Amino acid sequence: MEFEFKVESDHLRRDGPAVDAAVDKYTSSFWPFGRKQKAHKELKKRLNEIIEKHDIEKDEQLNNTFLRVKGVESKEEAQEVIESFKEDLREFYQEELGLDTPPIELSTEN
């Protein structure tokens, strides 16, 4: 069975809440050229690692991002996977980037 969740917040978007912190963390102010692009690339890599860890598929369509949980038996099981993902994302923002962001907002698509 497969369940899809729509990301309602900016957490996984290019201009998400972690971009400025990623610029400071992953780039040097001594070389100002392309800092935002380099930081975005590293941030995207790290976020994709978290997504893959939970065996979630990310689908981006225009301005919408969907997270698809496959191979689960019930909606409750899919929700458990998503809750674990949300916790890892929160920890990443807090521990890696020093951010206290609001939790990622998701809505159920099916």
Side-chain angles (χ1 to χ4, degrees), residues 10-11 13 21 38 42 45 49 52-53 56 63 66 73 78 80 86 95 99 102 110:
D10 293 335
H11 284 72
R13 293 190 182 152
K38 182 179 179 184
E42 183 65 25
K45 178 183 147 199
E49 288 172 358
E52 289 171 8
K53 173 184 172 187
I56 295 172
N63 286 333
F66 298 93
E73 299 297 321
E80 288 175 15
K86 287 168 64 173
E95 294 171 9
L99 294 175
N110 44 331

Side-chain angles (χ1 to χ4, degrees), residues 4-105:
E4 190 170 84
F5 298 84
K6 182 178 180 185
V7 179
E8 300 289 347
S9 57
D10 293 335
H11 284 72
L12 301 178
R13 293 190 182 152
R14 185 168 183 86
D15 57 348
V19 172
D20 291 335
V23 168
D24 293 338
K25 174 81 176 181
Y26 302 130
T27 65
S28 170
S29 61
F30 296 116
W31 186 258
F33 307 105
R35 287 182 76 196
K36 196 166 189 174
Q37 183 179 3
K38 182 179 179 184
H40 180 264
K41 184 177 178 181
E42 183 65 25
L43 181 61
K44 186 175 181 178
K45 178 183 147 199
R46 301 282 179 107
L47 293 175
N48 284 339
E49 288 172 358
I50 296 170
I51 290 169
E52 289 171 8
K53 173 184 172 187
H54 294 280
D55 201 24
I56 295 172
E57 184 180 297
K58 182 172 87 170
D59 182 20
E60 296 173 314
Q61 302 173 6
L62 298 174
N63 286 333
N64 296 315
T65 302
F66 298 93
L67 300 176
R68 198 169 293 119
V69 179
K70 294 182 174 184
V72 291
E73 299 297 321
S74 66
K75 185 176 180 178
E76 291 77 23
E77 191 177 339
Q79 192 65 41
E80 288 175 15
V81 171
I82 287 296
E83 290 302 321
S84 178
F85 162 73
K86 287 168 64 173
E87 181 59 26
D88 283 353
L89 184 64
R90 186 194 63 75
E91 286 178 9
F92 169 75
Y93 279 172
Q94 230 174 22
E95 294 171 9
E96 180 79 11
L97 301 173
L99 294 175
D100 285 323
T101 61
I104 186 170
E105 296 174 29

